[in-house]
Amino acid sequence: MRTLRWHKLEIEIPRDEEFIVPVAVAGKKLCLIRHEGKLYLTQRSCPHAGGQLSGGWCKKGMLICPLHRYGYNLENGRGAEGQGDYIDIYPLRIDSDGLYAGIKENLFKRFFGR
Ligand code: FES
């Protein structure tokens, strides 16, 4: 069973209109992205061949990997047509004291450490 747990992002959110910054949350290496006025949190490693998506760019709602230019939909993580892959997208919550990332946690692992 997996449950969603909220983790505060310990970073200053850039003021830039568009950005991609690497962040670490709950032991995961992720990307915090602002694109077309909206914040997104995605996995950092590209599923194609491990490129660092934090070095990529966004275009028309897609996150583009800098290595071979595969694209991933920022809303649902789906790879562009013909790729047949996807990235994980994590929920974000804005609270009065900052930004929180929702990370699914395996309850068995949480209680028994495995
Ligand atoms: S490693 Fe990302 S497109 Fe190839």
Side-chain angles (χ1 to χ4, degrees), residues 28-107:
K28 292 181 181 294
K29 293 178 177 175
L30 307 176
C31 291
L32 179 66
I33 297 166
R34 179 152 48 218
H35 178 57
E36 295 177 344
K38 197 170 167 194
L39 287 169
Y40 301 93
L41 191 65
T42 72
Q43 71 182 58
R44 196 185 311 168
S45 175
C46 177
H48 175 231
Q52 293 299 294
L53 295 167
S54 53
W57 61 91
C58 294
K59 189 178 173 187
K60 295 180 183 167
M62 302 289 279
L63 172 59
I64 311 296
C65 177
L67 271 195
H68 311 102
R69 302 187 177 204
Y70 276 30
Y72 298 93
N73 186 301
L74 283 164
E75 295 292 338
N76 56 31
R78 269 191 222 123
E81 207 176 317
Q83 287 176 205
D85 58 358
Y86 70 92
I87 57 170
D88 288 328
I89 307 287
Y90 298 88
L92 283 167
R93 190 180 81 198
I94 300 173
D95 265 0
S96 55
D97 64 337
L99 197 57
Y100 285 79
I103 308 282
K104 279 193 180 145
E105 195 173 74
N106 185 319
L107 274 184

